[in-house]
Amino acid sequence: MSALTAALEAEQAAVYLYGVLGSRSTGAQLTAMQQAYDAHRDRRDALLGFAHDRGITPPPGAVYPTPTAIDTPAGRQHAAAAIESSCLGPYAALVGETTGDLRAWAARALGECAVRGRGFGAPAIALPGLA
Amino acid sequence: MITRRALLTLGGVSLATPLSACSVDSLDRWRPAAKKPHVDHDQVLVARVRTALEQARDLAAGTPFAALHTAQLAALDGPAATPSVSASASAAPAAPATPATAQQVRGSETALQARLLAACQNARSGRLAMVFASMAAGIGQALA
């Protein structure tokens, strides 16, 4: 199931990148980064379980390019918004490729990423993940 | 593209009765699968979602939610009809809503979001499920 693999890759990248952003954040921004990290880690772990249940070999972890311009709070906010946006398409695709509980789970994940991205300053759009 | 006319024709609904004039509840009680087996399950879902979006748009007139739903309604007519969302949102007039009205709109939007997620679950077409899930996510963003 390619969509599941793509969602897992997106979450693996998100967990890595939020770790980087969190290590450079302080105060309220650190709290927000930690919450986002925890949410994506939980989603990644759930996706690993879904992959295992379906006999899908998870993609290997990777070292992802560190976002540029993250030395300022505004830069980190922007990078976090980009992380959330990068998860929208894979989750929308996962909704389309699945049924039942996994589809519902993917739809909730899509919504959470959209809302979290908005919290980090991403623009509101009518059709997140499809635009 | 699923046009309203096609839906009306397939559903056997009189053209003199626009879908927007039907209440959501009455559509919920509609049982085309039992009475009209030729009506496609997903087309019924689209009709229900369209009606719910139209009602939410009308209720939210003057707020950014109205522009959001205008864009989402266009998506039901196909990608080519989907306007720029950011342009739609920026064109929306400032919301002069009273606190009570704003609360009513938020309640309506929350209910619509739940309806869209339920429609996503029930859609037989994966593509349609994606659209419904994405619409729900868009509402979530606007509510945030």
Side-chain angles (χ1 to χ4, degrees):
Chain A
M1 185 184 294
S2 60
L4 200 157
T5 302
L8 188 47
E9 287 177 336
E11 289 294 16
Q12 286 174 330
V15 169
Y16 173 84
L17 293 170
Y18 271 116
V20 173
L21 295 178
S23 71
R24 303 187 185 200
S25 301
T26 59
Q29 186 173 65
L30 174 59
T31 301
M33 296 296 179
Q34 286 174 329
Q35 289 173 342
Y37 176 92
D38 289 345
H40 284 285
R41 182 199 56 208
D42 290 348
R43 292 287 182 191
R44 179 206 60 190
D45 291 348
L47 285 164
L48 282 170
F50 297 144
H52 179 267
D53 292 346
R54 288 159 178 75
I56 297 171
T57 302
V63 175
Y64 303 93
T66 302
T68 58
I70 58 172
D71 292 332
T72 64
R76 291 189 287 274
Q77 289 279 112
H78 183 76
I83 292 170
E84 299 301 336
S85 294
S86 72
C87 293
L88 297 176
Y91 274 128
L94 188 58
V95 167
E97 280 198 17
T98 55
T99 58
D101 291 344
L102 183 50
R103 176 185 282 182
W105 185 90
R108 286 195 300 273
L110 172 63
E112 287 176 12
C113 291
V115 170
R116 196 179 300 116
R118 182 79 178 127
F120 284 122
I125 53 179
L127 296 165
L130 298 186
Chain B
M1 182 173 77
I2 304 167
T3 66
R4 171 180 297 220
R5 179 171 293 277
L7 285 167
L8 290 170
T9 302
L10 288 167
V13 179
S14 167
L15 285 172
T17 307
L19 276 177
S20 58
C22 302
S23 74
V24 173
D25 287 342
S26 69
L27 283 171
D28 280 342
R29 289 192 293 271
W30 199 29
R31 294 288 184 266
K35 295 179 180 176
K36 301 184 185 304
H38 61 284
V39 177
D40 180 78
H41 173 270
D42 280 356
Q43 287 176 317
V44 174
L45 280 182
V46 169
R48 289 176 176 171
V49 165
R50 183 186 298 280
T51 301
L53 285 171
E54 288 172 344
Q55 290 179 335
R57 178 199 59 196
D58 294 346
L59 180 66
T63 77
F65 288 107
L68 174 72
H69 296 321
T70 297
Q72 292 177 332
L73 281 162
L76 290 181
D77 292 328
T82 306
S84 163
V85 177
S86 57
S88 300
S90 62
T98 64
T101 303
Q103 188 174 7
Q104 185 182 12
V105 168
R106 290 185 69 84
S108 164
E109 295 296 328
T110 302
L112 176 58
Q113 189 181 29
R115 284 182 69 96
L116 286 165
L117 288 173
C120 167
Q121 275 298 92
N122 291 327
R124 291 179 183 164
S125 156
R127 175 67 191 172
L128 191 57
M130 289 171 65
V131 171
F132 291 158
S134 179
M135 287 177 173
I139 292 171
Q141 274 192 330
L143 285 168

